[in-house]
Amino acid sequence: MEKFDLISNTIVLTFAIISLLPLYWLVTNSFKTSSEIYQMPPSILPAKLYWGNFKELFDGQPAVRWMFNSFFVSFTTTALSVILSASAAYAFAKLHFKGKKIFFMLLIASIMIPKETFIVPLFKIIVAFNWIDTYQAMIVPNLATGFGTFMLYSFFKAIPDSLRESAKLDGASEWMIFSKLMLPIAKPGIGALFILNFVTVWNDYLWQLLMARSKEMNTLTTGVASLQQAINPNIGLKVAGAALAALPMIIVFILFQKYFTKGMTAGAVKE
């Protein structure tokens, strides 16, 4: 058994190192000059930490505004989306109303439809509301997600109905049962959903590209992409921008990975 564990751990470690190599290369190249990035054979580590790429990024581009836009859009969208998903999931799991099964089937079916298929009518709606180049254009269309509701549904479904019935006997309202009793129990799933939604919105390049028309309204992903498209020989500047865009996602996952791993497995129970 110990020999098997050693072999399996070695295999996992090898694949982990391979998967981290692109990230390592991105970070180290952001601290190199353009000439050092292009040199052959490439250097594993920078000869000297070069901060000029980041200095040029913040001096020549509104990178601080891009970062604010990304955090504001991602956090606001995720927070509101989790609230809506949790409310809908609780209703489908614990409440009884007419057409419940039909609505739930439609919800599941919506997960199978890629966003790109309805991006044109959605864009026309945003234009009709005159929301182009605004925060609400990036936030509102991403609030209601069938995936979030379906994910939290299993958590609420696994909670014994006796807890809810006991709370109702004690005089608790439906809102109190949901907010004070059910939400704390489903916290692992909510944490996992928060991370997934945050990463999804942060990387929602296509929709943010369509909505942001001015340079100041760009998010970090679209702003960095504009550097890639610009006629600029400074590859170090572009690499620094890409590294800056990836850093928040790494930090978020490291800080909340225990909620993510626990939340992804806690809801996997048989009814």
Side-chain angles (χ1 to χ4, degrees):
M1 182 63 69
E2 292 182 359
K3 185 178 180 180
F4 176 77
D5 290 341
L6 178 62
I7 295 174
S8 60
N9 289 338
T10 302
I11 295 174
V12 170
L13 180 61
T14 301
F15 279 104
I17 293 174
I18 293 174
S19 64
L20 287 174
L21 279 177
L23 179 62
Y24 170 80
W25 201 246
L26 176 69
V27 174
T28 54
N29 281 349
S30 66
F31 293 101
K32 297 178 182 178
T33 61
S34 294
S35 58
E36 189 178 0
I37 294 174
Y38 281 120
Q39 78 176 18
M40 295 300 292
S43 57
I44 298 177
L45 292 172
K48 183 181 179 181
L49 288 181
Y50 178 68
W51 295 92
N53 296 324
F54 292 97
K55 185 176 184 300
E56 184 177 348
L57 178 65
F58 282 95
D59 288 346
Q61 306 290 338
V64 176
R65 177 63 184 268
W66 293 349
M67 291 181 66
F68 169 79
N69 290 344
S70 286
F71 275 107
F72 178 75
V73 170
S74 300
F75 182 82
T76 304
T77 304
T78 301
L80 295 176
S81 176
V82 168
I83 293 173
L84 291 175
S85 296
S87 303
Y90 173 73
F92 281 119
K94 295 301 180 184
L95 303 185
H96 300 282
F97 52 91
K98 191 174 182 179
K100 173 181 172 179
K101 291 185 177 180
I102 296 176
F103 286 126
F104 190 69
M105 291 295 293
L106 291 174
L107 179 76
I108 301 303
S110 69
I111 303 176
M112 306 176 189
I113 305 175
K115 186 177 180 180
E116 289 75 13
T117 58
F118 55 84
I119 203 167
V120 173
L122 188 59
F123 180 81
K124 290 182 177 180
I125 293 173
I126 297 298
V127 171
F129 286 164
N130 197 25
W131 281 0
I132 294 294
D133 207 33
T134 62
Y135 288 122
Q136 57 263 36
M138 301 182 190
I139 294 173
V140 174
N142 291 316
L143 292 184
T145 62
F147 172 77
T149 303
F150 177 69
M151 179 177 174
L152 294 181
Y153 171 83
S154 60
F155 285 88
F156 289 118
K157 194 68 175 176
I159 299 174
D161 290 334
S162 57
L163 290 176
R164 178 170 171 268
E165 293 169 0
S166 298
K168 290 185 75 70
L169 289 175
D170 290 337
S173 63
E174 200 67 61
W175 172 252
M176 288 184 64
I177 296 173
F178 170 66
S179 60
K180 302 294 185 182
L181 181 62
M182 296 296 179
L183 283 183
I185 297 176
K187 187 165 60 174
I190 292 172
L193 179 61
F194 189 94
I195 296 174
L196 290 173
N197 278 5
F198 191 90
V199 173
T200 301
V201 177
W202 183 278
N203 294 323
D204 193 9
Y205 169 76
L206 178 60
W207 184 249
Q208 294 169 4
L209 180 66
L210 290 174
M211 294 298 101
R213 297 298 175 86
S214 62
K215 197 170 187 179
E216 290 71 23
M217 281 302 297
N218 274 330
T219 58
L220 199 54
T221 51
T222 56
V224 170
S226 68
L227 294 179
Q228 307 289 341
Q229 298 166 2
I231 303 175
N232 190 337
N234 189 354
I235 186 64
L237 173 65
K238 300 174 183 180
V239 173
L244 186 66
L247 182 62
M249 294 297 92
I250 299 172
I251 294 174
V252 167
F253 184 78
I254 291 175
L255 291 177
F256 299 101
Q257 63 175 338
K258 65 177 182 179
Y259 296 104
F260 180 76
T261 54
K262 185 177 180 181
M264 292 301 291
T265 57
V269 296
K270 288 186 176 181
E271 296 183 15

